[in-house]
Amino acid sequence: MFRLLTTLVLFVVGIGIPYAQSKKRPDLDDYKLWYSLKLRSTSPKGTWMELYKDYENLQDTTEIRSLSGDKRYVFTNFQSVTLDEDWCFYKSQTGIGIVNLLEDTQNHFEGYTGYRYIPELHVLLLESRSGTIDLKLLNLNNGRQQDLTDLEDYALNAQKTQVVYALQDTSAPRLEVYDLETGTRKPIPLKLEPGTHNRLIWNPDSSKIAWYYTPQGTKEPELFCYNLGDKTLMAFNATNRAEFPADKQVLEPFTYKPFTFSKTGDRLFFRIQSIPRRTLAWGSGVEIYRSKDVYEVMNPRYVEAHINTADYGVWNLKTNGYLQLTDSLWQTSYLTANDSLILLTHSKPYHPRIKLINDADIQLRNIMTGDSIYGASKIEGITSYTGIEPHGRFMYYYKNGRWLIYDIQRKVEIDLSVYIPTPLSTADPSQSVFPFPNGLAGFDKTGTQLLVYDQFDIWQVDLIKLQAKRLTQGREQGRTYRLITEPKILQDWEGTSLFTPDVLDLEKPLYLKSSDEAYRSGFACYANGKLKNIAFKASRHYSPKITENGLYYLEENQDLPPRVMFWNRANTTLKRGYQSNRHYTRFTTGKAELLQLDNEKQMDGLQATLLYPFAYDASKSYPMIIDLYEQNAGAIHHYSVPILGDRKGVNYTRLRSEGYFVLCPDLTYKSNQPGESSKQSLDLILKEVLNNTAIDSNRIGLNGYSFGGFEVNYIVGSGTRYAAAVSGGGLSDLTRKYTTVDRVGNTKFYHLENYQGRMQGPYYENQQAYMDNSPIWKVDQVNTPLLLYAGKEDYHVNRNQSIAFYLGLKRAGKESTLLLYPDQGHAFSNLKAIQDVNDRILAWFEHYLKGGSKSLWMKANAY
């Protein structure tokens, strides 16, 4: 049977009050009142907050509000907000705006397209790009302004005290340095032929400046480095260097592909590429793909980019020497935080790709010598689970379900599982044969203390003493604790992302988020060896923002719109900073229950959220719509803003207003049975839910999108329980999905074997399971009227999956309608199309579940 875990009631300013039938149900005209709330940023000390109000059909607004509530500024059509305690800066459609929050004054600078605020000096840098670059430098303390115009490029130093810029001058190159503290300009003496200067950069201590210089009439750039101390200029011209490959040239970097100094400032890293650029030797009018090709993307543009992958090079400014760091095998490379080492990877032995992140081999090389320091093979999750801590002593990676740390100094490997008694990875054989790690929280500032997660808790590991201690007691509480951090993202020179853990200051308080299986959540603060709960209850807590004085976050519940909360660390008090959609108290609310299956012999993890109709009357009978997508019971604490165009296809508030129960189940899965196990778990849930006599068992509908659409497609072919169903962007043929590429040309083997498909092998090794779980083979058993829809530009779940299922149903003589939306992909982007889908889904259920008349578009031969 089911046990009731949570019953929700209406909250007003955080206080529950009884359900009141006298209140008004929201109708379509009322929807314009509602907005979604985002907490985008706060000032450093938390005095001010930036709120974004997202209306469906009205003008969105941004509010800058004080925590005390005595001041607010409302803006439209602007973005890129920066908050200081005294100032607010933003980008509008026509320029850059400034608000003095202390004096309540505003100013706007027309024509500028970007800005950068330097809080240490209270200087604002305004930028305009139109062929050349114009800068305006504003000192907010003394009002001093400086205009720098007709620039080719500029760069701010690490200390944020100086700007170097290249003036556009066809007669002679001119570089100058502007001092932001004194307001003085100093030219850099250069004796160069006319040309262009770009990609200006500073070394870390601001003693050197480097840039790309391309003389007039040439295409290949040269590298220059100017020493501001001894006023010497060094040049790197590839054609004059014997050690530089004859078939390569210096390649100017793109925005995301770095040209950078080493931390010591005595080396420059840059890209090189083959000359001439290689072209595909296929001949015209044909594309050629061979099964033994390592590169899998079936797209000539990407294949040509692959064979022209650029390499790393390093220019040693002390010796004036050059060393190439990467080659055709070790092409993917990352400069580590300690850039005396470079981390190289390649995944060629592990193709074709059968994991979300393919395995790879790794190698550490010394940048000075090019020697290999360490290597490992078949590393898992290379872009998420591999890296080097900032001081360059410890490298971490994940392999065979274990976190491994390599001590570069002592040349030893540390297996964290030896020192932590609980598993650091989670095995879910129903999804993948490969366990996935719970994650690394980060290293401390010394690089010797590592925080790592098990299923519930946070552990601190001393990598020198090889000792571990547990910081939280989540396992005993049934809670999961995780740090609130902002992982850094490194990018290799081809744009691949490498996520690295945060650098933690363990002398300061650490803020944690917590949750349990019943979808309760909250935040906590860990300081001085003790854990202080900030909040933990049956609500959704999210969007945390750490300030110097405490923690901001959003809280919402089924019947409570999002509100801003602030926890003051000094006096450990909670304060409401803002309540969104205050008009919600004028409207009726409904009952909501989180139910769990209380039967140990049945499938584990089954639970569901049941949302009651508004103005519910226990003596009446109501239809019910089940919204499917894997684990969906988290809806118990999500506030459903009433809108006409919900990306799920259905809006829970709208359905409840129309007199429907809504069921949001958590389904469980078995290996090689993604369809059948979802049906079995839903059957078990319904067996208990239908004990509620107010639910009419003859008027139940199914709705699902993407994987939820696949679940709908499968379930309607396995029984006659459902009176109507809707499937959007869903799979119908697993084998066809396996052998289809996406828009770019990527294969989807991994998606079926070790991701949502849960098939754990290719179709030719498991033919019967692929067929048994493909709805396309069960069209003759479908007796539920089915509405299918897809975007015509959907290549994620290819539109042909919906078309093929529709054609099979048509041939079998079943009741089905297919909607195809031009110019829409898997995630619909056009609001009119989204609203149209919502309206048609509601009309479909209105007819089949409530006996309403058929809309014209539902009638056969109506054109």
Side-chain angles (χ1 to χ4, degrees), residues 438 453-458 480-484 512-513:
N438 295 308
Y453 302 131
D454 70 10
Q455 182 181 354
F456 295 98
D457 290 304
I458 304 172
T480 298
Y481 288 96
R482 297 293 183 258
L483 283 185
I484 300 171
L512 286 60
K513 53 189 175 183

Side-chain angles (χ1 to χ4, degrees), residues 740-754:
T740 301
V741 297
D742 63 16
R743 180 191 293 271
V744 171
N746 290 304
T747 62
K748 293 295 183 179
F749 304 152
Y750 79 91
H751 199 278
L752 273 297
E753 293 193 40
N754 289 293

Side-chain angles (χ1 to χ4, degrees), residues 42-44 80-91 96-102 114-127 136-142 154 156-161 163 180:
T42 67
S43 60
S80 302
V81 173
T82 298
L83 280 174
D84 194 25
E85 301 306 324
D86 303 335
W87 301 91
C88 170
F89 313 99
Y90 63 90
K91 179 181 176 181
I96 305 300
I98 304 176
V99 181
N100 187 320
L101 299 172
L102 288 180
Y115 74 91
R116 183 166 183 175
Y117 177 55
I118 305 169
E120 296 85 352
L121 301 177
H122 293 285
V123 168
L124 183 67
L125 186 155
L126 304 179
E127 175 187 306
K136 181 183 287 290
L137 305 172
L138 302 175
N139 190 308
L140 301 177
N141 286 332
N142 56 31
Y154 76 94
L156 182 68
N157 67 347
Q159 294 74 23
K160 302 177 183 177
T161 57
V163 176
L180 295 171

Side-chain angles (χ1 to χ4, degrees), residues 743-814:
R743 180 191 293 271
V744 171
N746 290 304
T747 62
K748 293 295 183 179
F749 304 152
Y750 79 91
H751 199 278
L752 273 297
E753 293 193 40
N754 289 293
Y755 198 50
Q756 281 184 314
R758 301 174 171 88
M759 297 306 293
Q760 301 193 358
Y763 69 93
Y764 50 83
E765 293 180 357
N766 204 0
Q767 296 181 33
Q768 194 60 49
Y770 271 79
M771 291 180 63
D772 289 346
N773 286 273
S774 293
I776 195 76
W777 295 100
K778 300 178 184 293
V779 291
D780 60 320
Q781 301 174 44
V782 174
N783 293 298
T784 301
L786 179 62
L787 176 64
L788 296 159
Y789 68 95
K792 291 189 72 173
E793 299 302 316
D794 188 351
Y795 293 91
H796 179 67
V797 177
N798 196 287
R799 65 178 183 180
N800 289 324
Q801 291 279 339
S802 294
I803 293 173
F805 198 46
Y806 162 75
L807 292 175
L809 292 167
K810 182 180 179 68
R811 177 65 181 86
K814 304 299 181 177

Side-chain angles (χ1 to χ4, degrees), residues 194-207:
T196 59
H197 302 69
N198 55 20
R199 302 302 177 194
L200 287 159
I201 59 171
W202 294 82
N203 74 334
D205 67 3
S206 300
S207 63

Side-chain angles (χ1 to χ4, degrees), residues 97 105 137 167 175 201 321 404 448 460 466 498 514 556 749 805:
T105 59
L137 305 172
L167 290 157
L175 264 66
I201 59 171
L404 300 171
T448 63
Q460 182 178 339
L466 297 181
L498 179 69
S514 56
E556 69 180 57
F749 304 152
F805 198 46

Side-chain angles (χ1 to χ4, degrees), residues 67-285:
L67 177 61
S68 61
D70 59 342
K71 281 188 178 182
R72 69 168 183 155
Y73 301 87
V74 180
F75 302 95
T76 60
N77 295 318
F78 83 107
Q79 56 188 325
S80 302
V81 173
T82 298
L83 280 174
D84 194 25
E85 301 306 324
D86 303 335
W87 301 91
C88 170
F89 313 99
Y90 63 90
K91 179 181 176 181
S92 72
Q93 291 182 327
T94 59
I96 305 300
I98 304 176
V99 181
N100 187 320
L101 299 172
L102 288 180
E103 300 179 2
D104 198 22
T105 59
Q106 300 184 41
N107 202 349
H108 195 269
F109 292 85
E110 296 289 328
Y112 289 94
T113 56
Y115 74 91
R116 183 166 183 175
Y117 177 55
I118 305 169
E120 296 85 352
L121 301 177
H122 293 285
V123 168
L124 183 67
L125 186 155
L126 304 179
E127 175 187 306
S128 175
R129 290 179 180 263
S130 180
T132 59
I133 303 170
D134 292 338
L135 298 181
K136 181 183 287 290
L137 305 172
L138 302 175
N139 190 308
L140 301 177
N141 286 332
N142 56 31
R144 184 177 62 222
Q145 298 188 22
Q146 176 67 56
D147 289 310
L148 304 173
T149 59
D150 294 327
L151 310 182
E152 289 181 324
D153 195 19
Y154 76 94
L156 182 68
N157 67 347
Q159 294 74 23
K160 302 177 183 177
T161 57
Q162 299 180 89
V163 176
V164 62
Y165 50 90
L167 290 157
Q168 186 174 40
D169 189 332
T170 56
S171 61
R174 295 175 56 200
L175 264 66
E176 291 183 345
V177 173
Y178 181 83
D179 192 302
L180 295 171
E181 295 179 295
T182 64
T184 57
R185 303 166 66 164
K186 182 183 295 186
I188 296 177
L190 297 174
K191 296 181 179 180
L192 300 174
E193 296 297 323
T196 59
H197 302 69
N198 55 20
R199 302 302 177 194
L200 287 159
I201 59 171
W202 294 82
N203 74 334
D205 67 3
S206 300
S207 63
K208 299 184 182 78
I209 298 167
W211 68 96
Y212 279 71
Y213 165 68
T214 307
Q216 285 184 359
T218 64
K219 293 183 179 180
E220 182 176 352
E222 302 176 31
L223 301 179
F224 279 90
C225 180
Y226 183 77
N227 190 313
L228 292 169
D230 59 21
K231 296 180 173 54
T232 56
L233 181 68
M234 294 182 67
F236 185 97
N237 188 315
T239 59
N240 298 330
R241 291 180 171 268
E243 74 273 32
F244 194 88
D247 62 341
K248 304 282 187 180
Q249 71 175 18
V250 174
L251 180 63
E252 186 175 325
F254 298 105
T255 302
Y256 65 87
K257 298 179 179 179
F259 163 53
T260 183
F261 276 100
S262 65
K263 298 295 186 294
T264 57
D266 57 9
R267 281 162 286 158
L268 273 169
F269 304 98
F270 58 96
R271 296 195 317 149
I272 64 174
Q273 72 171 6
S274 299
I275 52 171
R277 182 177 175 85
R278 295 176 60 190
T279 58
L280 299 176
W282 291 341
S284 60

